[in-house]
Amino acid sequence: MTAQIIDGNQIAASIRAETAEEVRKLKARGVNPGLAVVLVGDNPASQVYVRNKGKACEEIGIFSETIHLPATASEAEVLELVGRLNNDPKFHGILVQLPLPKQIDETKVLFAMSPDKDVDGFHPVNVGKLLIGEPVFMPCTPAGVQQMLVRSGNSPEGKHVVVCGRSNIVGKPVAAILMQKRPGANATVTICHTGTRNMTEITRQADILIAAAGSPAFIKADMVKAGVVVIDVGVNRVDDPTRKSGFRLAGDVDFDAVKEKAAAISPVPGGVGPMTITMLMANTVKAAKMHSGLA
Ligand code: GUN
């Protein structure tokens, strides 16, 4: 079987074009969408993500500012900054890049954010709204996964979706999104995790498999049925001495083997990666509309 390659770059580009058009319309009405990005410390992957978020904002016409605090910043300093950003009308959205250094309680920081500026969708009020089907801001990576399925012609409606991974950032919210009774969702969802005993038995039942386990090439060909649609959320750095950086990015799926059985599959890189920032842009525009009474 020749699998359809679900091209995240292409899907992201069309959503970014739509979002840029929304930004032009908002600006014409005197609203300048703004995003504050908070980076604490020097985690190399976080620095790359934050830089890319800034670049994407610029391309789309969103005003953005990155506030970089040192790795030694105290919890009180971060909470004070979040409080200040909550009250700054220049910013319609706030994003605190995770993970935070260990002296800072992430939950406290997420709770401190104003839910109507929480464009990451991580505040417990937004997590709760997502679960009961009243989403304000959908978390960006899971929202990107849904868009990839729908826009590639692989709607999850009526399908058995198996999610491998139960993180608060991907596994739990993607399940919450895809189980809702609404177009582009309405799936039967099963979540597998490290406590699952008969994982292969379950993954082989998947019409759609979402791999978000955080382990390189974890999903092997014998774990999927023929004709499955696979979305690979993994971004694992694996050693590669042939690269200047010394590493390459690998997904959670053994791509070369699984693509021989799949009907459709997303690659890494070039799959979910470009979608996350794209959905962040879309959420920031949504926030700007809400705050200015145009939603
Ligand atoms: N760290 C890894 N993924 C994310 C994300 O989607 N948002 C934030 N804020 N931090 C992250």
Side-chain angles (χ1 to χ4, degrees), residues 21-22 29 40 48 73-74 88-89 108 133 146 152 161-162 177 187 195 214 225 229 247 254 271 275 281:
E21 181 55 30
E22 296 280 312
R29 301 181 72 169
V40 188
V48 174
S74 68
D88 187 336
K108 260 197 205 164
Q146 185 188 31
S152 67
V161 175
V162 176
I177 291 169
K225 71 176 177 192
V229 172
F247 69 86
D254 183 358
M275 294 299 294
M281 302 293 106

Side-chain angles (χ1 to χ4, degrees), residues 10 24 74 87 97-98 104 128 153 163 174 191 224 234 238 247 261 266:
Q10 199 184 347
R24 270 193 294 278
S74 68
N87 293 317
Q97 185 65 35
L98 304 178
I104 301 168
V163 181
V174 85
I191 302 189
V224 300
V238 296
F247 69 86
K261 281 177 89 176
S266 74

Side-chain angles (χ1 to χ4, degrees), residues 138 141-151 156 174 177-178 183-185:
M138 285 206 240
T141 302
V145 168
Q146 185 188 31
Q147 288 299 318
M148 287 171 81
L149 289 170
V150 171
R151 291 182 185 237
V174 85
I177 291 169
L178 297 181

Side-chain angles (χ1 to χ4, degrees), residues 35-49:
L35 174 69
V37 178
V38 177
L39 173 64
V40 188
D42 308 304
N43 178 312
S46 292
Q47 285 177 325
V48 174
Y49 288 138

